[in-house]
Amino acid sequence: MPRSRLAATAAAFAAALALSAAPAAASDAPDTVVPFPPTDPPPPGQVEIDLVNANGSGCAPGTAAASVAPDKTAFTVTYSEYLAQAGGGSSPIDSRKNCQLAVLVSVPQGYTYAIARAEYRGYADLADGATGTQKASYYFQGMPQTEAVTHELPGPHQDNWQFNDRANVAIYAPCNAERNFNINTELRVDAGSDPDRLSWMAMDSTDASITTTYVFSWKKCD
């Protein structure tokens, strides 16, 4: 990870984030997939999250953390070393980074949840002709994986970035059963026409406000 960027980007992380949106496709699972309904209010009582497993080149042990928002409308994931880079003499293996997370959300009895929206944020320094790519898919343990949603960020770009994935249907966790929620993400950088110029795209944070956010859709169990 190029440490020389940290001082230059600390202030830039506080700038306004650019927004782009794309729908997230979901596989059929008749007993758990419904047209996306209005969400119920968050449940009373405590909602807890446990980062069960983190595996991949973008989330070495100890570099990812998860927490539930105080109002229980979402949970967030923060990375500290999630960065892909290409060009400028960097190693070819650094051009693609990935992370596979398994999180366990423990909810009060009688409630379940789906993920209505995912918000990804970071910073990129991409040369003219370079391209950054962010990709993600999701699924509950034992259920089909959603189709991956891919966003591209063309260079030149030297600023924050944000991409939103919105679900078209609600895929709820089974009621009264604990299932891991699995999140697969990827960052990739193509140096483009100038391989001597270093280009990079990060989803890590030098600012605690830069997080990946997964917005709950709550439902009372029948």
Side-chain angles (χ1 to χ4, degrees), residues 157-195:
H157 183 98
Q158 192 174 23
D159 204 347
N160 297 298
W161 57 265
Q162 177 174 331
F163 296 125
N164 287 1
D165 296 346
R166 296 179 181 272
N168 293 326
V169 293
I171 305 178
Y172 287 97
C175 281
N176 305 319
E178 290 193 332
R179 298 280 184 91
N180 290 344
F181 181 61
N182 298 298
I183 306 164
N184 296 326
T185 59
E186 176 184 326
L187 290 179
R188 191 167 64 249
V189 174
D190 182 344
S193 57
D194 186 1

Side-chain angles (χ1 to χ4, degrees), residues 57 84-85 90-97:
S57 55
Q85 61 183 18
S90 58
S91 170
I93 64 173
D94 290 336
S95 65
R96 178 187 177 274
K97 299 292 182 177

Side-chain angles (χ1 to χ4, degrees), residues 79-207:
Y79 303 94
S80 60
E81 295 185 5
Y82 201 162
L83 179 147
Q85 61 183 18
S90 58
S91 170
I93 64 173
D94 290 336
S95 65
R96 178 187 177 274
K97 299 292 182 177
N98 76 300
C99 183
Q100 298 177 334
L101 296 180
V103 298
L104 180 62
V105 180
S106 299
V107 305
Q109 191 79 5
Y111 283 82
T112 186
Y113 73 95
I115 299 299
R117 186 174 74 253
E119 303 170 356
Y120 294 91
R121 298 178 179 88
Y123 191 90
D125 185 349
L126 302 171
D128 189 14
T131 303
T133 302
Q134 184 267 327
K135 183 177 180 180
S137 61
Y138 326 88
Y139 64 100
F140 286 106
Q141 181 182 2
M143 295 182 179
Q145 183 167 324
T146 63
E147 181 181 341
V149 179
T150 301
H151 303 274
E152 289 196 348
L153 184 66
H157 183 98
Q158 192 174 23
D159 204 347
N160 297 298
W161 57 265
Q162 177 174 331
F163 296 125
N164 287 1
D165 296 346
R166 296 179 181 272
N168 293 326
V169 293
I171 305 178
Y172 287 97
C175 281
N176 305 319
E178 290 193 332
R179 298 280 184 91
N180 290 344
F181 181 61
N182 298 298
I183 306 164
N184 296 326
T185 59
E186 176 184 326
L187 290 179
R188 191 167 64 249
V189 174
D190 182 344
S193 57
D194 186 1
D196 294 330
R197 165 74 188 275
L198 178 67
S199 291
W200 54 267
M201 184 176 186
M203 200 153 59
D204 63 6
S205 176
T206 57
D207 182 327

Side-chain angles (χ1 to χ4, degrees), residues 33-52:
V33 176
V34 297
F36 219 98
T39 185
D40 287 338
Q46 194 166 11
V47 176
E48 298 180 337
I49 190 167
D50 180 25
L51 183 55
V52 177

